[in-house]
Amino acid sequence: LYVWCQINKDQIVQFWFGTQFKAIYLPWVLVAFNMIIQGGGWTELLGIVVGHLYYFLTFKYPQEYGGRMLLKTPQFLYGLFPNRRGGVSGFGAPPRERASAQGTSGIFSGRGHTLGDD
């Protein structure tokens, strides 16, 4: 969540009851919300620290400071979760035609049952 919020800083997100704010504030809003509801918030703060460390080592340090990439995604994970950007694939393509069963004609085939007849 933290990494997505850093990458999409200016994206407007919506929270409870239509409250809108920039995505960069979402982790902090969740911390405050969980402090109010549960009285804790330490787990969320730890998530922000870990997310910031990952974001810094993966994006900020190599791109802005010219450092080498210290964290790399293991190659076997790319086989399980392909590295795709730009939306979900598969939508917008027409469905493949089904092979028709032999002996049937038309879209509605089969015996069927009339409603209301006992």
Side-chain angles (χ1 to χ4, degrees):
L1 179 74
Y2 184 85
V3 173
W4 181 87
C5 290
Q6 289 296 320
I7 292 172
N8 301 293
K9 291 179 182 185
D10 294 326
Q11 177 75 32
I12 301 295
V13 294
Q14 194 168 1
F15 199 58
W16 273 27
F17 306 114
T19 307
Q20 294 181 347
F21 47 86
K22 290 186 176 184
I24 195 165
Y25 302 118
L26 181 59
W28 300 104
V29 169
L30 291 175
V31 167
F33 181 74
N34 283 327
M35 284 179 146
I36 292 169
I37 298 296
Q38 297 176 352
W42 292 108
T43 307
E44 289 78 14
L45 285 174
L46 180 64
I48 288 175
V49 169
V50 170
H52 182 74
L53 184 64
Y54 177 81
Y55 178 75
F56 180 79
L57 293 175
T58 305
F59 296 100
K60 278 281 205 207
Y61 183 65
Q63 292 175 2
E64 293 186 17
Y65 299 109
R68 63 185 198 121
M69 188 114 166
L70 298 174
L71 294 177
K72 294 183 182 177
T73 304
Q75 197 61 34
F76 76 92
L77 288 177
Y78 286 114
L80 296 174
F81 307 101
N83 191 15
R84 293 186 187 155
R85 290 191 177 244
V88 180
S89 64
F91 287 96
R96 286 186 252 144
E97 290 186 33
R98 283 197 245 169
S100 61
Q102 291 183 358
T104 62
S105 63
I107 295 173
F108 301 104
S109 59
R111 202 179 81 175
H113 298 282
T114 306
L115 294 176
D117 289 347
D118 288 327

